[in-house]
């Protein structure tokens, strides 16, 4: 198993997305995962988004949130 998260990794930004109708990975598991993440890294840098009616798939709103996250946290490429 890995050691504790330390140094610069404590400040990593995380976006976790979950559909509230996912039959494969219940929303409760996503909620538990995000709470565990918040206990391991700076909780202010953890964002948890849920999408109404989304199953084990994706949706336009999720893709837009991911694009916004990437634009905010990753340097632009030429």
């Amino acid at each position: 198993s890995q050691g504790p998260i330390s140094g610069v990794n404590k400040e990593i930004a995380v976006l976790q997305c979950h559909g509230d109708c996912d039959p494969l990975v219940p929303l409760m598991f996503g909620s538990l995962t995000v709470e565990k993440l918040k206990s391991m890294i700076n909780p202010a840098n953890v964002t948890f988004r849920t999408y109404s009616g989304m199953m084990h798939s994706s949706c336009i709103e999720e893709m837009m949130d991911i694009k916004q996250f990437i634009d905010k946290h990753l340097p632009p490429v030429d």
Side-chain angles (χ1 to χ4, degrees), residues 13 23 30 34 37 45 51 76:
V34 82
L37 269 173
N45 295 339
Y51 303 90

Side-chain angles (χ1 to χ4, degrees), residues 34-67:
V34 82
E35 291 310 311
K36 179 66 175 175
L37 269 173
K38 287 180 176 181
S39 76
M40 298 169 69
I41 63 175
N42 183 346
N45 295 339
V46 179
T47 302
F48 185 50
R49 295 243 192 277
T50 60
Y51 303 90
S52 180
M54 190 171 86
M55 298 181 72
H56 194 72
S57 58
S58 62
C59 65
I60 294 295
E61 293 81 9
E62 181 187 29
M63 292 299 110
M64 294 304 293
D65 288 343
I66 293 168
K67 180 187 184 309

Side-chain angles (χ1 to χ4, degrees), residues 5-78:
I5 296 172
S6 61
V8 71
N9 291 332
K10 281 258 191 209
E11 296 303 318
I12 193 168
V14 173
L15 171 61
Q16 182 182 333
C17 302
H18 210 112
D20 68 356
C21 292
D22 189 330
L24 195 62
V25 182
L27 180 59
M28 181 186 70
F29 292 171
S31 299
L32 292 170
T33 300
V34 82
E35 291 310 311
K36 179 66 175 175
L37 269 173
K38 287 180 176 181
S39 76
M40 298 169 69
I41 63 175
N42 183 346
N45 295 339
V46 179
T47 302
F48 185 50
R49 295 243 192 277
T50 60
Y51 303 90
S52 180
M54 190 171 86
M55 298 181 72
H56 194 72
S57 58
S58 62
C59 65
I60 294 295
E61 293 81 9
E62 181 187 29
M63 292 299 110
M64 294 304 293
D65 288 343
I66 293 168
K67 180 187 184 309
Q68 189 175 46
F69 180 84
I70 289 169
D71 289 345
K72 180 178 178 183
H73 294 287
L74 295 180
V77 293
D78 295 327

